[in-house]
Amino acid sequence: MKTWTLPLAALLVAAPAAAHAPAIGPHGGLRLHWGAYHVELVPAGKQTELYLMRAKDEAPVPAAGTSATAKILVGGRISTANFAPASGNRLVAPVALSGDWRANVSVRLPGGSATLLFTAQAAGAARHAGH
């Protein structure tokens, strides 16, 4: 994982591809809508997981042939993490998300790409809205 010292504004100025309100996904993470897909970011201890699903029915989209890179802000430090396909519809990056984090994730599928902005604040709001 590389550490960058970019201005905070560079991470905050993202053109989110999400057209619907953020929600909690089936794996307990923040789920964003991107065209025909849902992308869910799940902090999982010392790693972060990314799940790909079809928007219409939450069916898994195989991670094979996909890639993702994230610019992540945690504790005032900006770093870059590369997600690698793991199993099924899951990609994994060796980075821990805790506290007040932001992740600007660029996802590439065979049919296109998008950049999505995930934040701890949005995850908290989505969890609160679900109760």
Side-chain angles (χ1 to χ4, degrees), residues 32-83:
L32 298 179
H33 183 88
W34 162 43
Y37 303 101
H38 281 159
V39 180
E40 181 181 359
L41 186 78
V42 181
K46 294 184 179 182
Q47 68 182 18
T48 299
E49 300 171 340
L50 196 67
Y51 291 89
L52 308 173
M53 298 155 284
R54 287 192 320 217
K56 68 179 179 178
D57 58 7
E58 297 291 319
V61 173
T66 67
S67 63
T69 303
K71 295 283 188 204
I72 299 171
L73 173 66
V74 177
R77 295 189 61 155
I78 297 174
S79 59
T80 299
N82 294 312
F83 286 84

Side-chain angles (χ1 to χ4, degrees), residues 54-126:
R54 287 192 320 217
K56 68 179 179 178
D57 58 7
E58 297 291 319
V61 173
T66 67
S67 63
T69 303
K71 295 283 188 204
I72 299 171
L73 173 66
V74 177
R77 295 189 61 155
I78 297 174
S79 59
T80 299
N82 294 312
F83 286 84
S87 60
N89 64 326
R90 183 173 66 106
L91 294 98
V92 176
V95 62
L97 298 180
S98 62
D100 187 23
W101 54 266
R102 293 178 179 271
N104 196 7
V105 181
S106 296
V107 180
R108 289 169 297 290
L109 295 167
S113 63
T115 299
L116 302 151
L117 179 62
F118 294 87
T119 68
Q121 183 178 10

